[in-house]
Amino acid sequence: MADLGVARAASMSEDETGTLTRADLADVVHLKLGLSRAESASLVERVLYHMCNSLSDGQNVKISGFGSFVLRDKGERIGRNPKTGVEVPIAPRRVMTFRASQIMRDKIAG
């Protein structure tokens, strides 16, 4: 993972915000694995596709050493319009949360 930052730093212009993109991931796969750029982009797209499909099917996604994407059902509740103070019902919905692994938290903190 440390190499990922080096690859990104070389390709980033000064006005970018430092966001990792699909193209950045594909570039790292291309450099590290020696796949063609098209194969690297396809590999990244397939991984993200499977993650999205699993989440949309109601399955949680756990990537060891990185973190977990967890689905949670939130019940109906009453909210309040901050401007008018009128109470408004908020419909039940499913939300996705991310919980970083301990390894990731240590890297970020350290």
Side-chain angles (χ1 to χ4, degrees), residues 50-87:
H50 287 294
M51 288 175 63
C52 289
N53 273 354
S54 293
L55 289 165
S56 66
D57 289 342
Q59 298 175 342
N60 295 331
V61 174
K62 181 177 182 178
I63 301 172
S64 182
F66 182 72
S68 299
F69 297 91
V70 179
L71 296 172
R72 202 171 60 117
D73 291 320
K74 294 181 96 175
E76 184 174 357
R77 62 189 175 96
I78 300 295
R80 190 177 306 273
N81 182 330
K83 190 171 185 177
T84 64
V86 175
E87 289 186 351

Side-chain angles (χ1 to χ4, degrees), residues 8-28:
R8 283 184 55 220
S11 67
M12 287 176 53
S13 63
E14 290 180 19
D15 59 352
E16 288 189 42
T17 61
T19 301
L20 181 66
T21 65
R22 293 174 186 216
D24 294 329
L25 291 172
D27 283 344
V28 172

